[in-house]
Amino acid sequence: AQTVTQSQPEMSVQEAETVTLSCTYDTSESDYYLFWYKQPPSRQMILVIRQEAYKQQNATENRFSVNFQKAAKSFSLKISDSQLGDAAMYFCAYRVIQGAQKLVFGQGTRLTINP
Amino acid sequence: ETGVTQSPTHLIKTRGQQVTLRCSSQSGHNTVSWYQQALGQGPQFIFQYYREEENGRGNFPPRFSGLQFPNYSSELNVNALELDDSALYLCASSPAYTGDNYGYTFGSGTRLTVV
């Protein structure tokens, strides 16, 4: 069974600094997708960044980038120039390419931005 | 384009009762999935509907059931409510059964409290 582990229940960072959130996963599949979602107090899950496992190049979206290490089954999220609006719960998620679009989520990391 | 809309936003029910939660999918999306998010946890996949048929189910008992309508909106029904059913219930839609790699569009959820 696929599992996703986020080992940091809470993280904090000074505004304008850089923070990295960790995620590891377990799967026997060779092709899959990985995602980072942000959940602010409004509760809606917002897609931050996605990575296709067959792509070696790490995904980047503005201030957000990932470090995808397929052999190590690691998928960390780096947030540069942290802003107060980045404060939220962050969830790492995994999905197989074939079959039902079931997302497997980690337990989440609460990110606090200190002004 | 409209997003995913869920109703009601909050609900309080008594143990043993039945509840129906509703979800309107994003325009153009024909696949709907439901997730249960207990307090302080990541979302857990309940089931997915495509073209009015259930085509994937997580580890939830049969008292969790659903429907999808011709307009792709969906309902989640929970019978014989238990205290542990208290959670945030998230609905997510996507454009096709096989999905794309953009993940889901999530609603803001229904907060169910069972007393």
Side-chain angles (χ1 to χ4, degrees):
Chain A
Q2 297 96 1
T3 59
V4 176
T5 302
Q6 294 178 247
S7 59
Q8 306 153 316
E10 296 184 1
M11 292 283 285
S12 63
V13 64
Q14 291 296 125
E15 192 176 3
E17 307 241 315
T18 295
V19 63
T20 298
L21 309 184
S22 301
C23 172
T24 58
Y25 59 94
D26 188 23
T27 183
S28 57
E29 302 286 336
S30 58
D31 244 351
Y32 47 88
Y33 300 124
L34 294 165
F35 306 88
W36 278 96
Y37 280 91
K38 169 185 177 181
Q39 187 178 41
S42 66
R43 309 182 316 199
Q44 184 181 19
M45 286 282 188
I46 300 166
L47 180 64
V48 174
I49 198 166
R50 67 189 182 277
Q51 174 83 42
E52 292 89 341
Y54 63 86
K55 290 187 178 178
Q56 293 186 340
Q57 185 174 6
N58 289 323
T60 299
E61 290 287 341
N62 300 313
R63 299 182 294 108
F64 299 88
S65 61
V66 298
N67 183 6
F68 173 48
Q69 302 289 328
K70 190 172 184 180
K73 296 180 181 175
S74 170
F75 183 61
S76 60
L77 174 69
K78 185 172 84 171
I79 306 175
S80 303
D81 185 27
S82 297
Q83 301 176 358
L84 295 178
D86 295 334
M89 284 292 292
Y90 284 81
F91 291 94
C92 178
Y94 160 100
R95 203 203 95 188
V96 295
I97 291 181
Q98 299 299 324
Q101 301 166 31
K102 168 186 172 181
L103 282 168
V104 178
F105 286 89
Q107 306 93 317
T109 297
R110 180 174 302 281
L111 178 64
T112 302
I113 312 296
N114 300 313
Chain B
E1 101 190 337
T2 59
V4 175
T5 304
Q6 292 187 243
S7 62
T9 55
H10 296 84
L11 198 55
I12 299 175
K13 287 288 191 178
T14 303
R15 188 171 49 182
Q17 284 188 315
Q18 178 266 343
V19 69
T20 297
L21 310 182
R22 294 178 175 82
C23 172
S24 295
S25 60
Q26 180 169 316
S27 176
H29 287 189
N30 60 12
T31 302
V32 173
S33 300
W34 287 91
Y35 289 80
Q36 181 195 65
Q37 186 178 14
L39 195 62
Q41 301 293 319
Q44 298 286 320
F45 176 73
I46 302 175
F47 43 54
Q48 177 185 87
Y49 277 83
Y50 170 69
R51 290 186 176 178
E52 304 176 53
E53 297 282 335
E54 182 184 297
N55 74 332
R57 189 178 184 93
N59 189 26
F60 281 82
R63 58 189 186 84
F64 285 78
S65 63
L67 283 173
Q68 187 180 31
F69 300 98
N71 66 355
Y72 307 128
S73 65
S74 178
E75 288 182 353
L76 164 66
N77 299 291
V78 188
N79 293 321
L81 283 167
E82 301 176 0
L83 296 179
D84 285 348
D85 295 333
S86 295
L88 179 67
Y89 288 85
L90 294 168
C91 171
S93 70
S94 59
Y97 167 69
T98 55
D100 56 22
N101 61 354
Y102 295 89
Y104 295 120
T105 300
F106 281 85
S108 296
T110 294
R111 173 74 67 191
L112 172 65
T113 302
V114 182
V115 297

